[in-house]
Amino acid sequence: MQYSNVEEDGDEPSERKVVFDLRCVGASGEVFLVEMQLQNQDFFFDRAVSYTSRTISRLAKKGKEGNNYELPPIYFVAVLGFRLDISNREKYYYSAKIMDEFDQEVLYPKLSYKLLVLPNFNKSKNDLPTIMDQWMYLMKHLDEIDELPNYLDKRIFSRIFEVGELAKLTPDEQMSYISSIDRKRDYINTLAYAKKEGRLEGEKHGRTQAEAKAYEEKLASARELKKSGVSNEIISKSLDLPQEVVNKL
């Protein structure tokens, strides 16, 4: 996963930029646009469609390469601190695609809108059977939690609390922490390089020993063939030895 520019320029210099809270590109080229929106705004869905449309227009290849119109998957993820103006006020997770309105068949699977509505999530910490439930609970109650609780999967959520602890540090403390991390990484990289060099040297030494042993075996075979009366020329060709070497045996 790579983080990319969170701004999208307009087509004209006078057009305002679109700014996302987070934009990521996955290993297969898929694009994730993440928005945190605490207060309701007019035309929220219009804005979401406008944002993704701007991104799509930038991702379309130009010239002959764009003739096939191939695009990567695009996910617009919105974490909302307000309720949507939709009849179902208990639903807290929406996943929308371009679908046929009659039989609900997905017509275009590459464009997805994921909406997480925090006010609609009312489960307790003892009722979090899925990872989605755990994410929702954490996002809604993160300001109340100081350390990773047992009811959250440590393999997934431990990094969140590491980042949170770093954010609480003063600027000087952050610089000291980052410097210590850099020193640790330098040390690890130095060890890795030393191991790599040692492995290569060992392989080279092992290869040299094997080659020397094979050469000695060729010489021993050449001597036996000479004792049997085989000509030096045939021995040289059959064992791939220089004739000058065979002559001296």
Side-chain angles (χ1 to χ4, degrees), residues 216 218-228 235 249:
E216 288 296 330
K218 280 187 179 183
L219 294 180
S221 297
R223 292 190 187 95
E224 292 299 321
L225 291 173
K226 286 189 73 169
K227 289 179 183 179
S228 302
I235 294 173
L249 291 175

Side-chain angles (χ1 to χ4, degrees), residues 185-230:
R185 287 171 177 165
D186 288 341
Y187 175 69
I188 292 173
N189 288 336
T190 301
L191 287 180
Y193 179 80
K195 289 180 180 179
K196 177 183 175 182
E197 289 297 302
R199 184 176 69 253
L200 292 176
E201 186 62 29
E203 291 175 352
K204 179 180 177 181
H205 181 66
R207 188 164 57 249
T208 302
Q209 284 188 322
E211 290 172 351
K213 182 178 180 181
Y215 185 71
E216 288 296 330
E217 290 176 351
K218 280 187 179 183
L219 294 180
S221 297
R223 292 190 187 95
E224 292 299 321
L225 291 173
K226 286 189 73 169
K227 289 179 183 179
S228 302
V230 179

Side-chain angles (χ1 to χ4, degrees), residues 1 15 18 39 46 68 84 111 121 145 153 164 199:
M1 181 74 73
E15 292 184 6
V18 170
Q39 299 297 325
D46 298 74
N68 60 5
L84 295 169
L111 180 60
F121 184 83
I145 304 173
D153 192 321
R199 184 176 69 253

Side-chain angles (χ1 to χ4, degrees), residues 2-242:
Q2 296 180 344
Y3 301 103
S4 61
N5 191 355
V6 295
E7 295 184 349
E8 288 285 4
D9 292 321
D11 293 326
E12 301 295 334
S14 59
E15 292 184 6
R16 72 177 188 177
K17 294 180 178 179
V18 170
V19 182
F20 303 105
D21 290 326
L22 184 63
R23 175 174 174 172
C24 308
V25 180
S28 300
E30 61 270 37
V31 177
F32 299 88
L33 308 174
V34 183
E35 277 259 311
M36 295 286 291
Q37 189 68 48
L38 298 181
Q39 299 297 325
N40 198 354
Q41 294 183 8
D42 290 334
F43 312 113
F44 169 76
F45 287 105
D46 298 74
R47 189 161 58 89
V49 172
S50 176
Y51 281 12
T52 51
S53 298
R54 186 78 64 86
T55 298
I56 290 170
S57 68
R58 291 291 180 270
L59 290 171
K61 295 180 180 179
K62 309 301 181 184
K64 292 183 179 179
E65 290 187 2
N67 288 343
N68 60 5
Y69 294 97
E70 183 179 6
L71 293 169
I74 299 172
Y75 300 88
F76 179 87
V77 182
V79 181
L80 306 178
F82 58 90
R83 288 187 169 91
L84 295 169
D85 295 328
I86 300 175
S87 59
N88 189 345
R89 298 178 65 85
E90 296 181 357
K91 188 173 182 179
Y92 54 83
Y93 174 57
Y94 293 84
S95 180
K97 295 180 183 291
I98 298 178
M99 304 178 69
D100 179 82
E101 63 178 316
F102 297 107
D103 60 11
Q104 303 302 305
E105 179 185 3
V106 177
L107 299 180
Y108 186 69
K110 286 186 176 182
L111 180 60
S112 300
Y113 292 87
K114 311 289 185 180
L115 309 179
L116 310 179
V117 187
L118 298 183
N120 288 354
F121 184 83
N122 297 308
K123 291 187 177 182
S124 70
K125 64 182 181 182
N126 298 319
D127 182 26
L128 306 174
T130 68
I131 295 298
M132 173 59 73
D133 288 337
Q134 293 182 32
W135 269 113
M136 294 294 296
Y137 186 89
L138 178 61
M139 286 186 287
K140 187 171 183 178
H141 299 281
L142 186 57
D143 60 335
E144 307 167 9
I145 304 173
D146 294 326
E147 58 184 18
L148 181 63
N150 294 329
Y151 50 83
L152 296 181
D153 192 321
K154 291 181 173 56
R155 297 167 298 177
I156 298 174
F157 297 99
S158 59
R159 178 59 177 160
I160 300 294
F161 286 87
E162 290 176 12
V163 173
E165 288 302 315
L166 178 58
K168 295 177 183 177
L169 301 179
T170 66
D172 289 341
E173 289 172 336
Q174 288 186 22
M175 289 300 298
S176 176
Y177 174 81
I178 292 171
S179 296
S180 69
I181 292 296
D182 288 340
R183 288 195 298 272
K184 179 181 178 181
R185 287 171 177 165
D186 288 341
Y187 175 69
I188 292 173
N189 288 336
T190 301
L191 287 180
Y193 179 80
K195 289 180 180 179
K196 177 183 175 182
E197 289 297 302
R199 184 176 69 253
L200 292 176
E201 186 62 29
E203 291 175 352
K204 179 180 177 181
H205 181 66
R207 188 164 57 249
T208 302
Q209 284 188 322
E211 290 172 351
K213 182 178 180 181
Y215 185 71
E216 288 296 330
E217 290 176 351
K218 280 187 179 183
L219 294 180
S221 297
R223 292 190 187 95
E224 292 299 321
L225 291 173
K226 286 189 73 169
K227 289 179 183 179
S228 302
V230 179
S231 69
N232 290 350
E233 183 179 0
I234 293 176
I235 294 173
S236 174
K237 290 181 179 179
S238 61
L239 295 177
D240 193 24
L241 288 170

